[in-house]
């Protein structure tokens, strides 16, 4: 008999299966999300450095101007510590932190680190321009800049405009090296050994500042050569390994040159040196250069060994100075902790700056920051304790922005 009550409704079998499938899909979605790599947080916009003028030039640590300013007594941070030298050629000692110097028509400033903070010291533009004039020594190609490190300096001489060359080119690389004075009871002038090197009958030195480096424990000078209206390459000068007569300084030789590479544009922009450091982490320094920077520039990594330059790799999408532009638009960025340095440089179009790791010879962008205006006057890094803290970029609108050098 029926008691009049309806039997409880049972869910159909297909409804139970559908529920189980939906639950399975939800679990699978959660697991797939957990397997995705965590994206790094977007970096904050770079902060402009408060300056009462628009810059027109910028020089980073190690430059002739930065060394001269740091040792001039203009800065409290330089002369308040012991060990400061009045000789701008003596280099920045261990008690003098690196500085970046900027100037424009309305003034000048020296940027340095005070702990983790950026310190700005205003200096008259006339004083800085006086130091900048020394970048081009007597007899150097007009408008060119010398490299300076310790007792060694290198610059271009022998202008080639009369031979149909471009402004800033030189037929000769001049090397000057101060020699030990020895013990003397009377004041004497420091002896200087001078030598000139020519790249060959069919080449000149391009209008790019040379760089001083060290290969195999010996000082070296890296310069850019030009051939014809559009070709350019790299050359390395080292001290000759042959024995010299007693009391005679070792002579310099051009030990390696690359074949010329075509630039880009109607005049062919020459190669631009981006930095010299052990970017790949091999224990030997490599030469980073930008080819054809007027378009989609190629970043190149060159290895020097046993008197030979070999190309380790090249990658598109980066920018450097165009022909006739003197700005240093790339710089090594020290990481510390035994890690190889990164390379900071703008991407094509100069609208963003990247912090590039080349460890193992393969590029990996560890940081990319959009810039409020194209990079134009320079890229420089300030370090403390062997680790870069701040990267400074001089923009086309005359501002300077600061970004943190750390990246995951």
């Amino acid at each position: 008999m029926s008691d009049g009550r309806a039997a409880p409704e049972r869910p159909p079998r297909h409804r139970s299966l559908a529920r189980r499938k939906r639950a399975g899909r939800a679990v699978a979605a959660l697991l797939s999300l957990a397997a995705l790599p965590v994206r790094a947080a977007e970096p904050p916009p770079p902060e402009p450095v408060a300056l009462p003028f628009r810059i027109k030039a910028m020089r980073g640590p190690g430059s002739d101007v930065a060394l001269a300013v740091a040792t001039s007594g203009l800065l409290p941070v330089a002369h308040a510590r012991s060990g400061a030298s009045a000789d701008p050629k003596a280099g920045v000692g261990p008690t003098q932190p690196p500085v970046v110097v900027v100037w424009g028509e309305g003034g000048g400033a020296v940027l340095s680190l005070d702990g983790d903070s950026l310190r700005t010291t205003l200096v008259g533009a006339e004083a800085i321009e006086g130091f900048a004039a020394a970048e081009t020594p007597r007899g150097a190609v007009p408008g060119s800049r010398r490299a300076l490190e310790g007792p060694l300096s290198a610059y271009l001489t022998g202008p080639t405009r009369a031979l149909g060359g471009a402004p800033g080119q030189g037929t000769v690389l001049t090397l000057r090296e101060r020699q030990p004075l020895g013990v003397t009871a009377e004041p004497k002038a420091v002896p200087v050994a001078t030598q000139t090197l020519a790249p060959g009958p069919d080449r000149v030195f391009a209008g790019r500042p040379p760089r001083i480096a060290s290969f195999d424990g010996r000082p070296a000078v890296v310069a850019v050569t030009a051939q014809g209206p559009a070709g350019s390459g790299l050359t390395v000068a080292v001290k000759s390994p042959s024995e010299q007569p007693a009391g005679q300084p070792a002579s310099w030789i051009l030990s390696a040159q690359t074949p010329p590479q075509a630039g880009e544009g109607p005049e062919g922009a020459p190669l631009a040196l981006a930095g010299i450091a052990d970017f790949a982490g091999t224990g030997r320094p490599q030469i980073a250069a930008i080819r054809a920077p007027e378009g989609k520039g190629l970043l190149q990594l060159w290895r020097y060994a046993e008197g030979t330059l070999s190309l380790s790799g090249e990658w598109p999408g980066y920018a450097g100075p165009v022909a006739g532009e003197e700005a240093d638009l790339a710089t090594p960025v020290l990481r510390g902790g035994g890690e190889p340095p990164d390379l900071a440089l703008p991407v094509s179009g100069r609208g963003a700056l990247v912090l590039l790791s080349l460890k193992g010879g393969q590029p990996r962008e560890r940081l990319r920051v959009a810039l409020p205006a194209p990079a134009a006057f320079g890229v420089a890094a300030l370090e403390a304790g062997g680790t870069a803290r701040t990267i400074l970029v001089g923009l086309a609108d005359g501002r300077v922005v600061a970004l943190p050098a750390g990246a995951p």
Side-chain angles (χ1 to χ4, degrees), residues 83-115:
S85 169
D87 181 6
K89 301 177 182 178
V92 176
T95 59
Q96 296 168 314
V99 299
V100 172
V101 183
V102 296
W103 68 96
E105 294 182 0
V110 183
L111 308 176
S112 59
L113 290 177
D114 185 5

Side-chain angles (χ1 to χ4, degrees), residues 6 79-80 90 136 165 175 179 184 206 214 221 249 252 257 263 276 302 316 332 335 367 370 373 376 388:
H79 69 252
T136 306
L175 305 170
Q179 304 299 305
T184 176
S214 177
V221 176
W252 289 80
Q257 294 195 60
I276 304 173
W302 292 87
R335 295 188 62 187
L367 186 69

